[in-house]
């Protein structure tokens, strides 16, 4: 999405449209959160302990997975409507094709977070109380 800039008279760029900026920012936030989750999982696989062993970790994981899944869906949907509006008014071009590919990847990230929220919900309900 950030690389979606065109040359020529229109000089379009993703940063000219708030829908694309919203989609990119939610994707970056989700990526950073996923990176922290991956580090915690790798640490757990090596040491058999979590980086944060607080009992509220299960609640935080479930909450963040849910919130980020909904925000990714919202951001992807808003960017998709911008692309649809653009294509209905001016037709397809390289700019809209790159934006559509980025939106597709954002929807895939939503699916991953949806599955992650199912898993974290299961972990929340079946955790050890000790």
């Amino acid at each position: 999405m950030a690389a979606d800039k065109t040359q020529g008279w229109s000089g379009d760029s993703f940063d000219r449209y708030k829908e694309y900026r919203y989609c990119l920012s939610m994707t970056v936030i989700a990526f950073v959160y996923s990176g922290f989750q991956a580090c915690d999982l790798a640490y757990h696989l090596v040491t058999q302990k979590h980086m944060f062993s607080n009992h509220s970790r299960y609640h935080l994981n479930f909450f963040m997975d849910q919130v980020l899944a909904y925000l990714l869906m919202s951001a992807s949907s808003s960017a998709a409507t911008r692309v649809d509006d653009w294509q209905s008014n001016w037709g397809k071009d390289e700019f809209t094709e790159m934006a559509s590919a980025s939106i597709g990847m954002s929807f895939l990230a939503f699916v991953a977070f949806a599955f992650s929220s199912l898993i974290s919900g299961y972990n929340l309900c079946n955790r050890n109380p000790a």
Side-chain angles (χ1 to χ4, degrees):
M1 181 74 68
D4 199 5
K5 298 176 189 250
T6 60
Q7 304 295 324
W9 66 272
S10 63
D12 280 324
S13 173
F14 83 96
D15 55 359
R16 291 182 60 196
Y17 303 98
K18 62 185 170 198
E19 296 90 347
Y20 296 154
R21 291 192 312 259
Y22 176 46
C23 187
L24 180 66
S25 63
M26 287 303 106
T27 304
V28 167
I29 290 170
F31 177 78
V32 169
Y33 172 73
S34 296
F36 284 132
Q37 289 290 84
C39 288
D40 182 50
L41 180 62
Y43 183 79
H44 177 68
L45 290 174
V46 171
T47 65
Q48 298 301 315
K49 293 189 239 177
H50 287 281
M51 293 170 78
F52 304 105
S53 59
N54 192 349
H55 294 292
S56 63
R57 179 176 51 86
Y58 295 105
H59 294 282
L60 180 67
N61 285 344
F62 181 68
F63 174 77
M64 289 299 293
D65 288 344
Q66 287 282 311
V67 167
L68 288 174
Y70 288 120
L71 286 174
L72 279 169
M73 178 55 84
S74 169
S76 302
S77 299
S78 69
T81 57
R82 170 55 76 179
V83 168
D84 183 55
D85 182 49
W86 182 277
Q87 288 177 348
S88 65
N89 288 334
W90 292 287
K92 284 187 175 182
D93 61 357
E94 184 181 348
F95 181 77
T96 57
E97 288 177 4
M98 288 180 71
S100 295
S102 298
I103 293 165
M105 295 302 288
S106 184
F107 275 118
L108 286 175
F110 160 74
V111 170
F113 271 97
F115 282 124
S116 180
S117 69
L118 289 173
I119 293 168
S120 62
Y122 176 82
N123 289 338
L124 176 65
C125 293
N126 295 317
R127 70 181 190 271
N128 266 345

